[in-house]
Amino acid sequence: GLAKKYSDKLECCENEVEKIIEEIRCKAIERGTGNENYRTTGIATIEVFLPPRLRKDRKNLLETRLHITGRELRSKIAETFGFQENYIKIVINKKQLQLGKTLEEQGVTHNVKAMVLELKQSEEDMRKNFQLEEEEQNEAELKEKQIERTKRGLEILAKRATETVVDPEMTPYLDIANQTGRSIKIPPAERKALMLAMGYHEKGRAFLKRKEYGIALPCLLDADKYFCECCRELLDTVDNYAVLQLDIVWCYFRLGQLECLDDAEKKLNLAQKCFKNCYGENHQRLVHIKGNCGKEKVLFLRLYLLQGIRNYHSGNDVEARECLNKAQQLFKELYIDPSKVDNLLQLGFTAQEARLGLRACDGNVDHAATHITNRREELAQIRKEEKEKKRRHLENIRSLKGMGYSTHVAQQALHAASGNLDEALKILLSNPLMWWLNDSNPETNNHQESPSQENIDQLVYMGFDTLVAEAALRVFRGNVQLAAQTLAHNGGSLPAELPLSPEGSLSSPATSPSDSAGTSSASTDEDMETEAVNEILEDIPEHEEDYLDSTLEDEEITIAEYLSYVENTKSATKEN
């Protein structure tokens, strides 16, 4: 009955449809039996795809336990299907099976698909191949180390970003800015997550530009993980998260990971929703902020193109054609005459500035030149103001440190006082317990058992009582400045909330191992940190709108390719 129904609907041969439905039924039963067997015995089923000369109509299934090594699986496949063991390679999850690791270690699971590649080589070729495998393994290890350095470099930069006491003239650091280029305030914990997310994203984008998709994808997925730690309100107000979804799906496409179609659909829908929240229903919010939306159209071209690709591979030809036509229309709008770029290059602008400026100004060279110049001046002014703000903040911290407070306490007080030095000092003087409880920094800990007579005399000379002066110096570990400031602020006595010990002094606050541990002075560690940071900084683009810049060469080829696929499918359907 089903065969008749679908053969009439699809205008196909009823016998062919019946065969396909029967195959689906058998596969479902086969898979269910295999799943039950795996749950009860732990024996997994692997679907083995043989080379063309041995391929049969039915699937080739192989049962095995997952704790065996790749070498043992290769031997089992060779024995079962009649290969010479050293003349085959096994590919699982788009990766070559590593012989020395177990299947579990390599992520092999029940119902996984394995492809057998048959080799026809001499012994000499095999030796060369072995050397090649070693080189590939070494290259994989290098990539793994590179990813570790990326992680280390980003963690260092994220830490510097949350500390806000680094000298921008001496120490490289990253900052988070809005669409206009101004720094934005974000809570420290969320700031670190956002910094790591954006850092991994930029690193992944750098690999994308070099077409190293295999190493780009892990960076982009790490970025996605850290973005998920940020609040939803933040993700709805910036386009970074949406752009990341596009980059991940572009990686899926370039790596040929068609098994990720479902995830691609979710990510593309999420990107579309984020763009709508961020830019407004008809880009009105974007136009209000930037004055135009020409540059951002590049993102929508990529979105429509990827939606077209996903729909095509999902069998939705009508939706695929619609999305691809949208992408093609945007490509025509965004195409830039190379002679116009050359004109702007002669005026001293970069190719990137030229492309972005022309798209922002609908291809008008004069308007683009003015737009680029104005943006340069605006950014230079903003950077100058942000640099001055950072300098004042560092000066305020140094001022409080000069009064005897630690960097950590000074930073906390300034944060509570919104950067106002006088207000921060009032907060510290009004609440010395805050200073005591938070100050585990050894830089202010003099740990004097008994205050010196000279220091006591200094406070007495200022008009304070001898016993009170001695008690204050014990509390503040011999720091005359802090003792004098606190006594003066409290009318010559110590605040009652300070928990004095029987001996008249506070017990020292316990310091955690991380507080007391000094940084390594080994030059090798410093060199490794510097190398890791520099690798990150090399891939951070100078232009804040780098993510909007594209020559669209890859997109042009891909649009034409998939439109031809859709048209061929349409023609074949008509013929049938």
Side-chain angles (χ1 to χ4, degrees):
L2 284 174
K4 175 130 184 24
K5 175 184 173 182
Y6 285 113
S7 63
D8 291 342
K9 188 173 181 179
L10 300 172
E11 298 180 358
C12 296
C13 172
E14 184 175 340
N15 289 337
E16 289 298 319
V17 174
E18 187 173 354
K19 283 182 184 178
I20 293 170
I21 294 176
E22 175 61 9
E23 185 181 346
I24 292 170
R25 186 190 68 78
C26 292
K27 282 181 180 178
I29 294 171
E30 201 173 65
R31 183 176 288 269
T33 305
N35 290 343
E36 183 62 28
N37 187 44
Y38 177 65
R39 281 194 293 270
T40 55
T41 66
I43 297 175
T45 300
I46 295 178
E47 186 177 346
V48 181
F49 289 84
L50 302 177
R53 72 176 184 84
L54 296 172
R55 194 168 293 166
K56 301 175 183 177
D57 291 337
R58 65 181 183 81
K59 288 191 298 185
N60 301 281
L61 302 179
L62 185 73
E63 293 186 340
T64 181
R65 295 193 180 274
L66 299 178
H67 59 72
I68 67 171
T69 64
R71 192 183 304 280
E72 289 172 308
L73 177 64
R74 186 181 72 169
S75 177
K76 196 169 185 178
I77 289 174
E79 183 181 346
T80 304
F81 299 107
F83 295 106
Q84 293 186 50
E85 184 176 341
N86 292 329
Y87 281 74
I88 59 170
K89 281 186 181 180
I90 314 298
V91 177
I92 297 178
N93 294 332
K94 304 205 182 306
K95 294 179 182 176
Q96 184 178 321
L97 190 70
Q98 295 184 43
L99 302 180
K101 291 186 176 181
T102 67
L103 303 186
E104 287 175 335
E105 288 173 344
Q106 298 180 66
V108 177
T109 57
H110 174 57
N111 281 334
V112 77
K113 295 177 174 61
M115 182 168 62
V116 178
L117 302 179
E118 193 173 17
L119 307 174
K120 295 180 180 179
Q121 297 175 324
S122 64
E123 289 186 6
E124 183 180 351
D125 288 335
M126 288 298 293
R127 281 195 296 271
K128 288 180 181 177
N129 192 51
F130 178 73
Q131 289 175 355
L132 182 62
E133 285 181 358
E134 278 194 329
E135 288 172 6
E136 287 175 352
Q137 189 171 349
N138 291 337
E139 186 179 344
E141 289 174 359
L142 284 174
K143 283 184 178 179
E144 193 172 335
K145 288 178 182 176
Q146 189 173 18
I147 291 172
E148 283 300 314
R149 283 200 305 274
T150 295
K151 182 179 179 181
R152 177 64 180 145
L154 286 171
E155 285 176 347
I156 293 168
L157 289 167
K159 186 181 178 188
R160 289 177 185 173
T162 54
E163 287 176 344
T164 69
V165 292
V166 295
D167 186 348
E169 300 293 338
M170 303 295 294
T171 309
Y173 74 104
L174 297 178
D175 201 3
I176 299 174
N178 60 18
Q179 288 101 325
T180 64
R182 296 190 182 278
S183 296
I184 52 179
K185 288 185 178 180
I186 301 172
E190 198 163 333
R191 183 182 181 84
K192 182 177 180 182
L194 185 58
M195 185 67 71
L196 287 169
M198 295 176 69
Y200 274 114
H201 190 186
E202 288 298 346
K203 193 69 181 177
R205 287 185 64 249
F207 287 123
L208 278 180
K209 289 177 185 176
R210 298 193 283 267
K211 301 191 186 302
E212 297 179 36
Y213 304 109
I215 195 169
L217 186 57
C219 290
L220 297 174
L221 293 175
D222 279 337
D224 193 43
K225 178 183 73 174
Y226 284 110
F227 266 123
C228 290
E229 294 180 15
C230 301
C231 67
R232 175 52 57 184
E233 291 79 4
L234 178 65
L235 298 183
D236 284 343
T237 55
V238 295
D239 60 5
N240 305 69
Y241 191 48
V243 175
L244 173 64
Q245 306 310 307
L246 296 185
D247 288 337
I248 291 174
V249 178
W250 186 256
C251 250
Y252 286 164
F253 161 58
R254 284 300 182 186
L255 291 170
Q257 294 186 339
L258 297 182
E259 66 272 15
C260 297
L261 282 176
D262 289 342
D263 189 47
E265 182 180 16
K266 291 176 186 175
K267 291 190 179 303
L268 292 174
N269 290 340
L270 181 58
Q272 195 161 18
K273 180 183 174 185
C274 286
F275 282 138
K276 182 179 176 181
N277 292 335
C278 181
Y279 295 158
E281 185 70 40
N282 296 306
H283 303 172
Q284 69 270 22
R285 182 170 177 265
L286 178 64
V287 174
H288 176 71
I289 294 171
K290 290 191 172 183
N292 66 80
C293 61
K295 293 171 284 189
E296 280 71 16
K297 286 182 180 178
V298 167
L299 301 177
F300 288 92
L301 184 151
R302 179 70 66 86
L303 173 65
Y304 297 145
L305 171 56
L306 290 171
Q307 286 177 332
I309 293 171
R310 194 210 69 79
N311 276 310
Y312 171 76
H313 286 295
S314 298
N316 306 322
D317 292 343
V318 175
E319 292 86 346
R321 187 181 300 105
E322 183 182 337
C323 292
L324 291 168
N325 284 333
K326 281 186 183 179
Q328 189 177 48
Q329 181 59 40
L330 274 179
F331 174 79
K332 291 175 182 176
E333 290 180 30
L334 294 168
Y335 175 77
I336 296 172
D337 185 346
S339 64
K340 293 182 178 181
V341 176
D342 290 337
N343 289 341
L344 289 171
L345 290 176
Q346 290 171 12
L347 294 175
F349 302 121
T350 65
Q352 184 178 63
E353 286 177 321
R355 284 190 295 268
L356 291 169
L358 286 166
R359 283 177 183 148
C361 301
D362 296 323
N364 188 301
V365 175
D366 294 333
H367 291 175
T370 304
H371 173 83
I372 297 168
T373 303
N374 290 343
R375 185 59 182 151
R376 277 184 174 184
E377 292 172 357
E378 183 184 347
L379 279 176
Q381 180 61 30
I382 289 172
R383 284 169 183 161
K384 183 179 178 182
E385 292 171 6
E386 291 296 321
K387 189 176 179 181
E388 177 61 22
K389 192 191 297 183
K390 184 82 173 175
R391 186 192 63 76
R392 284 199 306 271
H393 183 71
L394 288 172
E395 280 186 359
N396 289 343
I397 288 177
R398 291 191 190 105
S399 297
L400 291 176
K401 285 177 68 178
M403 298 175 192
Y405 298 104
S406 72
T407 300
H408 178 65
V409 170
Q411 197 173 334
Q412 276 199 328
L414 283 167
H415 179 74
S418 300
N420 187 295
L421 179 61
D422 294 334
E423 289 299 317
L425 188 56
K426 286 179 184 178
I427 289 170
L428 289 169
L429 292 173
S430 302
N431 188 12
L433 188 60
M434 165 192 166
W435 169 85
W436 176 261
L437 292 175
N438 287 297
D439 187 16
S440 58
N441 194 321
E443 63 187 83
T444 58
N445 295 355
N446 297 323
H447 296 295
Q448 293 191 1
E449 291 296 327
S450 299
S452 68
Q453 189 60 45
E454 181 183 354
N455 289 348
I456 295 173
D457 291 343
Q458 281 187 53
L459 291 178
V460 171
Y461 183 75
M462 295 178 193
F464 300 115
D465 180 78
T466 304
L467 291 176
V468 174
E470 184 175 352
L473 286 168
R474 286 182 184 278
V475 168
F476 295 107
R477 309 187 193 108
N479 191 312
V480 177
Q481 279 185 306
L482 287 180
Q485 288 169 3
T486 305
L487 290 173
H489 187 75
N490 291 277
S493 61
L494 286 172
E497 64 267 21
L498 283 176
L500 294 171
S501 66
E503 290 79 16
S505 66
L506 283 165
S507 56
S508 297
T511 59
S512 66
S514 60
D515 294 327
S516 58
T519 56
S520 172
S521 60
S523 60
T524 52
D525 290 344
E526 290 178 5
D527 291 342
M528 287 173 67
E529 286 196 359
T530 302
E531 182 185 355
V533 168
N534 287 341
E535 275 192 22
I536 299 297
L537 296 177
E538 285 171 6
D539 287 330
I540 301 294
E542 287 292 326
H543 201 290
E544 75 283 358
E545 292 183 327
D546 177 82
Y547 72 103
L548 299 175
D549 176 45
S550 172
T551 62
L552 298 182
E553 291 173 358
D554 287 345
E555 287 82 352
E556 180 184 15
I557 294 169
T558 308
I559 290 170
E561 179 184 354
Y562 273 85
L563 276 174
S564 70
Y565 294 161
V566 170
E567 290 305 317
N568 289 340
T569 304
K570 184 179 178 182
S571 300
T573 304
K574 284 182 179 178
E575 288 176 9
N576 289 335

